[in-house]
Amino acid sequence: MTKTVIWITGASSGIGAATAKKFSKEGYSVILSSRKEDELNQVKEACAHPENCAVLPLDLAQTDTLSDKVKQAISLFGHIDIMFHNGGISQRSLAIETQLEVDRKIMEVNFFGTIALTKALLPHFKSRKSGQFGITSSLVGIIGSPYRSTYAASKHALHGYFDSLRAEHHEDNIHVTMICPGFIKTNVSVNAVTADGKSLNEMDDAQANGMSAEECANQIFKSLKKKKEEIYIGGKEVMAIYLKRFVPGIFSKILVKAKVR
C-alpha cells in the first residue's frame, strides 16, 4: 500500500521537527527540508520510522533552485500528498529602526520562497487531482503586534495568497490549511532577526512559557488530517484573534499596554 507523503520545510528544529516526528509515528513518509543538513539528519534518525524519511536540503531564499527541489522531492517517494510550508524567519525590531534590506529578506524567505515552492509543486497536485498545502502562519498573521511589523506583513500576505489559491483550485481537490500558532516553546525568537539583520540570540519570556512543540505538532496533525481551512494554536493569546475581530478598539489599547516582545 502506498504511504501518504508529507514534505516539511523548516524541519530541522522546533515545530517542523516535532511535526516530522509526529507524522512519521503515524506511518507517513516524510521529506525533511531546511538549510541545515546535519540537523535534518538528526531529526530523521529521531523519527519513528527513519527508513521512510528522506532529507532534502533547500534554501527558501534561493527561489531559482526550488523547481529542481520539487522534482527531487517527487522522485524520492514517487509523489507528494501534503506540502507543509513551515520554513521562515521571525523578527524582533521596531519598524522605524529596521533596515529595508532586512524587511526584504523577511519577505523573500517567508513569502516569496513559500510562493515559489508552491508554484513549482502545484502542477503535480493539479495533475493528480489531489493535494494539500499546510502553511505555518502565526497569530500575528491576523492581528499584528509590536516588534514584528514585517514578519506580520509576510504572514498576512500568505493568508491572502492561499485563501485565493484555495478558491482557484477547489475543483482540483487541492486543500489549504492555514495554521496560526501563538507562543510555542521553540527557538523562533532566538533566531529572529533584529533591525540590522543580526539574530536576537535570546528567547522571549512568552516563548519560553509557551506550548510545547510536540503539542503544537499534535494539533497540526489533526487539522491537516481533517483538512481544516484555518486553526489557531496556543494558550490565552489565541483570544487576541477574537478581541481584534469583535472589539478592535479595546484590543488596540490592550496591545499598547502589553508591550509584547
Side-chain angles (χ1 to χ4, degrees):
M1 184 177 177
T2 304
K3 290 181 178 292
T4 303
V5 180
I6 183 170
W7 183 9
I8 304 174
T9 61
S12 56
S13 63
I15 292 173
T19 304
K21 294 172 186 175
K22 173 63 178 176
F23 274 87
S24 177
K25 182 180 178 181
E26 297 292 337
Y28 289 63
S29 293
V30 183
I31 302 171
L32 304 101
S33 290
S34 79
R35 293 175 300 154
K36 302 174 181 177
E37 187 170 3
D38 289 344
E39 294 181 23
L40 288 173
N41 281 313
Q42 291 174 19
V43 174
K44 174 183 174 180
E45 292 307 312
C47 284
H49 300 285
E51 69 278 7
N52 292 323
C53 298
V55 167
L56 180 61
L58 62 75
D59 186 343
L60 288 171
Q62 296 178 359
T63 53
D64 58 340
T65 69
L66 297 180
S67 290
D68 285 338
K69 293 296 181 180
V70 167
K71 294 175 184 176
Q72 293 175 45
I74 293 170
S75 71
L76 290 169
F77 295 107
H79 68 281
I80 296 167
D81 297 287
I82 305 169
M83 176 77 247
F84 179 31
H85 288 302
N86 179 68
I89 51 177
S90 192
Q91 172 196 16
R92 296 295 185 275
S93 58
L94 294 171
I96 195 172
E97 297 174 354
T98 304
Q99 297 173 8
L100 185 59
E101 55 263 37
V102 175
D103 296 318
R104 290 186 185 279
K105 177 182 178 180
I106 295 169
M107 291 300 297
E108 188 65 39
V109 173
N110 292 3
F111 182 71
F112 287 108
T114 298
I115 298 319
L117 200 54
T118 297
K119 285 178 177 288
L121 184 58
L122 258 176
H124 177 67
F125 282 176
K126 186 175 173 65
S127 68
R128 299 181 76 228
K129 290 293 181 180
S130 177
Q132 183 176 13
F133 292 102
I135 302 94
T136 296
S137 175
S138 168
L139 295 186
V140 300
I142 298 174
I143 62 174
S145 71
Y147 304 101
R148 296 162 176 82
S149 54
T150 307
Y151 175 72
S154 70
K155 297 300 187 179
H156 275 68
L158 289 173
H159 280 263
Y161 187 91
F162 280 100
D163 282 349
S164 299
L165 185 143
R166 183 194 292 115
E168 290 174 0
H169 289 280
H170 173 75
E171 293 183 0
D172 296 317
N173 196 34
I174 296 172
H175 300 273
V176 172
T177 301
M178 299 302 299
I179 299 160
C180 305
F183 298 126
I184 310 299
K185 192 174 181 180
T186 70
N187 284 332
V188 65
S189 59
V190 177
N191 298 323
V193 293
T194 55
D196 60 1
K198 295 178 182 177
S199 296
L200 181 65
N201 287 323
E202 62 181 71
M203 185 175 287
D204 295 341
D205 289 341
Q207 222 81 48
N209 295 309
M211 177 186 288
S212 71
E214 290 72 24
E215 176 55 29
C216 180
N218 288 338
Q219 295 193 32
I220 289 171
F221 175 79
K222 292 176 183 177
S223 69
L224 290 177
K225 193 169 183 180
K226 293 180 180 179
K227 294 183 170 61
K228 291 189 174 182
E229 290 196 357
E230 187 167 293
I231 64 161
Y232 312 133
I233 302 174
K236 61 184 180 181
E237 69 273 16
V238 170
M239 290 302 299
I241 297 289
Y242 303 100
L243 290 172
K244 172 69 171 177
R245 184 176 300 165
F246 297 113
V247 284
I250 293 174
F251 172 73
S252 292
K253 292 177 181 178
I254 293 172
L255 193 62
V256 170
K257 291 180 179 179
K259 299 185 183 298
V260 177
R261 184 161 188 174

